[in-house]
Amino acid sequence: MSRSLHIHLVAICGTGMGALAVMLKSLGHRVTGSDEHVYPPMSTVLSEQRITVFNGYAASNLDPPPDLVVIGNAVSRGNPEAEAVLERKIRYASMPEALKTYFLWDRKPVVVAGTHGKTTTTAMLAWVFTETGLDPSYIVGGVPIGWQTGARLGSGDLFILEGDEYDSAFFDKRAKFLHYLPDTVIINNIEFDHADIYDSLDGIELAFKRLVNIIPENGLLIGPADDTRVRALASRAFCPVHTLGASPDARWSVRDVSNDPGGTSFDLYELGARRARLMIGQLGMHNVRNALSVVAAARHYGVSWPDIARGLETFPGVKRRLEVRGEVNGVTVYDDFAHHPTAVKATLEALKEALPNRRVWAVFEPRSATTIRRNFQQAYGAAFDNADRVLIAPVYLPEKAPEGNRFSVNELVEELRDRGVEASAPGNADRMVSQLVEGAVPGDRIVFMSNGGFGGILDKTLTALKKKHAEEASRKQD
């Protein structure tokens, strides 16, 4: 190994940045960092690794000057440390660039990309490969249930990466995944998202075209047979392409899909020949597709059918992906990251298919940079068709959307009512909790959907449900 460096990470508490910090430390480098909001779980992980983290940004955090400063994509011009780096000519890099430089050249990166399902597919793949004994490295944009962190530096030659199309840094507007030197690429789907950096779907498609264009001839592209955008990209690939889906024309296809509260099972076919009956603990056809991607990649790297089956069946899922957070008096509460109409629709369809006779409450917060705009105003109407009751929270920081292009909660509520869905906009978290606690009955499912903290509403609801149940039990005893 080359000499030990002092590497400082600006915005170190992000999921990817924190993972990179731990990996750099494992190489023997002295690692420090800074962030404006230092909080668990990443602050705990960094503390356990004895990585010094400054709370707040200041030019003095760069005294004496580090050998390298890694600047996260959450950092903008005007940040005191970014300005000091530019003024003092301190060597700097983006997170994906540093990841490539220190970890990817000597490994075989497997990049999981697409608008939806990246985190679950990446985690599922990392789980299967780990359980098989391949000891891969991985960085997942979430934390698999039961794992302490979503990142690890393994001894094997595979590196599994969640490939984000978001930009790399304020000085590098290329998509992150263009840095990842892919040997294998999984593209789950391509839709419009990230309205804060992409003006249209054309811009997103261009990023994916560039990704496909850097897969080597001895690499592999995996994608759905029924996604016209992915298929168009695949037609231009220089490497082999494996298609997947429900269609028998796909290389990897499924039949006889069965859903129940415990998960989803299906028959897997390769080139029309039945290979196995597989089971996953996750609900919905979208997770079956995620599993097909994992199967295609696993077989490409020589994983046996028994190992694939065992890995998929034991995969526990990812936190905040239809994660059961509690059950009180027969009312089950889920936490879900869905913040795009396609993801909302898939989540609610999965629940309804597995539990057709149970009432589903959908509690949704318009929070992402795209959702707070009007891009999906109409699409969200149909997204909630499988919900019985819908509560819509106020738009989170609406001022971040351009004036005249802001999402309307009231319009969505009216659209849902026109479609026959019982919907309301209570106005704040306390009112929503009251409606949920007063209206929920045993057997109901409550799904909280947000890509943020949602004001702690989930824990407040569980606490209120427990209080109500205890009071009812007490009255019965009296």
Side-chain angles (χ1 to χ4, degrees), residues 198-474:
Y198 289 105
D199 294 328
S200 68
L201 182 56
D202 289 343
I204 292 175
E205 285 190 278
L206 177 59
F208 280 94
K209 286 178 184 176
R210 290 169 173 165
L211 173 63
V212 170
N213 199 44
I214 59 174
I215 306 172
E217 288 185 353
N218 63 350
L220 177 66
L221 172 61
I222 300 167
D226 60 355
D227 189 307
T228 56
R229 298 185 185 97
V230 176
R231 291 205 65 156
L233 293 180
S235 68
R236 302 171 53 156
F238 286 83
C239 64
V241 176
H242 284 196
T243 58
L244 58 89
S247 169
D249 295 334
R251 178 180 179 116
W252 301 98
S253 62
V254 295
R255 300 177 197 171
D256 299 324
V257 179
S258 176
N259 296 289
D260 62 57
T264 310
S265 58
F266 54 92
D267 285 337
L268 174 73
Y269 286 76
E270 181 187 9
L271 297 174
R274 186 181 183 276
R275 297 300 185 193
R277 180 76 180 172
L278 298 176
M279 168 74 183
I280 58 174
Q282 293 68 50
L283 301 178
M285 191 62 195
H286 60 297
N287 279 313
V288 171
R289 289 171 176 269
N290 294 340
L292 285 180
S293 297
V294 171
V295 169
R299 289 300 294 160
H300 178 65
Y301 289 105
V303 180
S304 70
W305 285 112
D307 283 345
I308 290 173
R310 183 172 58 253
L312 290 176
E313 188 168 356
T314 59
F315 174 61
V318 182
K319 292 180 180 179
R320 304 209 63 203
R321 269 61 177 185
L322 203 55
E323 177 191 7
V324 176
R325 288 287 303 277
E327 182 178 332
V328 181
N329 193 29
V331 177
T332 306
V333 176
Y334 299 83
D335 190 7
D336 196 76
F337 197 72
H339 59 277
H340 184 288
T342 300
V344 170
K345 181 179 175 65
T347 294
L348 297 176
E349 278 183 351
L351 263 185
K352 209 62 175 177
E353 287 175 5
L355 300 155
N357 299 318
R358 300 296 177 89
R359 192 167 60 161
V360 175
W361 297 67
V363 188
F364 178 67
E365 181 186 36
R367 185 181 182 111
S368 75
T370 307
T371 300
I372 67 173
R373 293 164 166 81
R374 295 187 63 83
N375 299 77
F376 297 135
Q377 183 74 54
Q378 291 185 325
Y380 273 113
F384 290 94
D385 281 348
N386 282 286
D388 298 286
R389 295 283 303 275
V390 179
L391 303 184
I392 309 295
V395 175
Y396 182 77
L397 300 179
E399 65 275 7
K400 289 196 170 183
E403 193 171 351
N405 185 25
R406 292 175 182 168
F407 186 83
S408 170
V409 170
N410 291 334
E411 282 185 37
L412 177 57
V413 168
E414 291 303 315
E415 170 68 14
L416 293 175
R417 289 174 177 171
D418 288 344
R419 299 178 69 91
V421 178
E422 190 174 342
S424 63
N428 61 46
D430 290 339
R431 292 195 192 107
M432 283 194 286
V433 171
S434 295
Q435 284 197 20
L436 291 167
V437 173
E438 290 171 9
V441 298
D444 283 2
R445 266 55 185 162
I446 301 174
V447 189
F448 291 93
M449 292 183 282
S450 171
N451 68 327
F454 209 159
I457 188 174
L458 191 151
D459 289 329
K460 291 177 183 177
T461 300
L462 281 172
T463 299
L465 285 170
K466 290 174 184 175
K467 180 180 178 183
K468 178 186 177 182
H469 181 51
E471 290 173 348
E472 289 175 347
S474 177

Side-chain angles (χ1 to χ4, degrees), residues 15 41 119 123 140-151 317-321:
T15 303
T119 299
V140 186
V143 180
I145 295 168
W147 284 6
Q148 192 172 30
T149 176
V318 182
K319 292 180 180 179
R320 304 209 63 203
R321 269 61 177 185

